[in-house]
Amino acid sequence: MALNRMDSTELIRTFLRDRLGVEADRVTDGATLADLGVDSLMLAELMFEAEDRLGISINADEGIPQTVGEMRAVIDRLLADKAGSGD
């Protein structure tokens, strides 16, 4: 059964566009979240959004992602773990 999920990059781009008005072409792996206007509260909201939309759980011990690529990698790894566990 295929998971009904959006791509992690698409989720991050959509979140940043809707919340902060960030243009999609600025959301690249090397872009720092701070440079895109993401503060600690906004980062928490982004993590909650990913959890809700993708059915994953981001633990506090994941560390704080500094770039879009780091955030995407966390989400992708958790999605892969979820798919591997059959959830």
Side-chain angles (χ1 to χ4, degrees):
M1 180 170 92
L3 291 175
N4 181 14
R5 64 175 177 88
M6 65 178 13
D7 173 83
S8 58
T9 302
E10 178 186 347
L11 180 140
I12 295 167
R13 281 188 176 132
T14 300
F15 179 90
L16 294 176
R17 181 197 66 221
D18 292 351
R19 302 291 199 303
L20 299 171
V22 176
E23 294 180 25
D25 63 347
R26 292 185 58 212
V27 183
T28 62
D29 279 352
T32 64
L33 294 169
D35 286 347
L36 297 175
V38 177
D39 60 15
S40 58
L41 178 60
M42 191 64 58
L43 180 60
E45 288 184 26
L46 174 55
M47 290 180 168
F48 291 140
E49 180 89 2
E51 288 179 333
D52 288 347
R53 290 190 178 250
L54 304 174
I56 58 175
S57 180
I58 301 173
N59 296 319
D61 64 355
E62 290 291 339
I64 299 171
Q66 301 299 312
T67 66
V68 170
E70 290 173 8
M71 184 73 214
R72 185 186 51 73
V74 168
I75 293 170
D76 288 348
R77 184 176 45 72
L78 293 171
L79 283 171
D81 290 350
K82 179 182 175 184
S85 70
D87 284 346

